[in-house]
Amino acid sequence: MKNKSSQRLKIIECPRDAMQGLHEFIPTEQKIAYLNQLLKVGFDTIDAGSFVSPKAIPQLRDTAEVFDKIDLSKTKSKLLAIIANQRGAESAVAFPQIDYLGYPLSLSETFQQRNTNRSIATAMEDLKAIQSLCVKHEKTLVVYLSMGFGNPYGDPYNASYIDDFVQKLKEIDVSIISLADTIGVSNPKNISWIFNEIIPKYPQIEFGAHLHSTPETIREKVEAAFEAGCLRFDGAIKGYGGCPMAEDDLVGNMATEQMVAYFEEVGQDLSLDQSAFREAQNMAGRIFPL
């Protein structure tokens, strides 16, 4: 295992990803109450909302109100908001509560167009401006490389292609890159392969895993990433959510409680408030449809 003792394992809880594809609108007050409960658990970061077009993601049209009303007075967790263009970034950086801006950059030209209605080349130019905004407003940019473990469109995908993206992001000083398995095509073999390829080569970059999965394959995927040196993991309680632009209902997010169980089993101290975690799971069962 390549993890260094000086680094800390981070769990990023993603209620935004869990909510975004739901058709029935979750009342704003319910979102706020759920986020406030998650903030008590002790996760490193909460992916709490997105500043994108309400026509694209109507479920999150109340993100600004949610950020204004959540209670950060008794938490060490940081907040992340997803943005898809400069306009969204300009809205997000105005919120002092937000620590991270997350930008979805696809390794697949087909999916980049489908997900953000722009080309990879245009997205790269956007990222330069967004990174400048982040620096100016003391935010940290997190780039999600979607289709990070392959794509179904026949677009290029190999080690040198991925490395080219990482190098370009490094050149604009992106310090956190999360590989996203947008449609659940990852398996332990290619998860291990990609992290073993890139983590040693770019020690100054924090790499994460935003994996989608069926419940049966969660443990083997998390284990593969962890053993290859990944220390940043995205999840959602009960595995809710996924990408509404991918049109794949077969896989959801990694169930946080299953990831936590694995990490505790292998001796990782996550310092979570177990009582608050159980209550968050109970709330999730009431908020999200079966």
Side-chain angles (χ1 to χ4, degrees), residues 71-82:
D71 181 9
L72 296 171
S73 63
K74 298 178 181 179
T75 186
K76 294 182 180 179
S77 298
K78 297 173 282 293
L79 293 181
L80 181 148
I82 294 293

Side-chain angles (χ1 to χ4, degrees), residues 19-25 58-59:
M19 294 177 184
Q20 67 179 5
L22 298 178
H23 296 294
E24 185 174 342
F25 186 73
Q59 182 63 245

Side-chain angles (χ1 to χ4, degrees), residues 3 5 15 24 26 35-36 41 43 51 55 57 94 97 107 111 114 126 144 176 185 203 228 260 276 284-285:
N3 299 287
S5 59
E24 185 174 342
I26 299 172
L35 288 167
N36 282 339
V41 177
F43 298 116
F51 291 88
K55 291 182 180 179
I57 309 290
Q97 307 94 311
L107 291 171
F111 190 71
R114 186 171 173 173
D126 281 350
Y144 288 89
I176 304 176
V185 299
V260 167

Side-chain angles (χ1 to χ4, degrees), residues 50-97:
S50 65
F51 291 88
V52 299
S53 167
K55 291 182 180 179
I57 309 290
Q59 182 63 245
L60 300 176
R61 63 181 183 263
D62 57 352
T63 286
E65 183 179 355
V66 168
F67 276 118
D68 273 336
K69 292 185 178 179
I70 55 179
D71 181 9
L72 296 171
S73 63
K74 298 178 181 179
T75 186
K76 294 182 180 179
S77 298
K78 297 173 282 293
L79 293 181
L80 181 148
I82 294 293
I83 50 94
N85 51 40
Q86 292 181 50
R87 182 177 178 181
E90 288 165 357
S91 297
V93 296
F95 287 78
Q97 307 94 311

Side-chain angles (χ1 to χ4, degrees), residues 15 29 38 90 114 125-126 142 147 163 172-173 199 206-207 237:
E29 291 306 316
L38 291 174
E90 288 165 357
R114 186 171 173 173
E125 291 302 311
D126 281 350
V142 179
M147 298 292 168
D163 187 74
I172 60 171
D173 296 324
I199 289 176
E206 178 182 333
F207 286 99
I237 285 174

Side-chain angles (χ1 to χ4, degrees), residues 134-176:
C134 287
V135 171
K136 180 179 179 181
H137 294 272
E138 299 183 328
K139 313 295 186 186
T140 300
L141 178 61
V142 179
V143 174
Y144 288 89
L145 286 180
S146 65
M147 298 292 168
F149 298 92
N151 67 79
Y153 310 117
D155 293 329
Y157 183 82
N158 54 52
S160 61
Y161 185 70
I162 298 167
D163 187 74
D164 182 57
F165 273 74
V166 174
Q167 184 60 40
K168 288 177 180 177
L169 294 172
K170 177 177 175 289
E171 288 170 2
I172 60 171
D173 296 324
V174 173
S175 60
I176 304 176

Side-chain angles (χ1 to χ4, degrees), residues 84 104 110-117 146 243 245:
T110 303
F111 190 71
Q112 186 69 47
Q113 294 279 2
R114 186 171 173 173
N115 194 37
T116 64
N117 197 32
S146 65
C243 180
M245 302 303 179

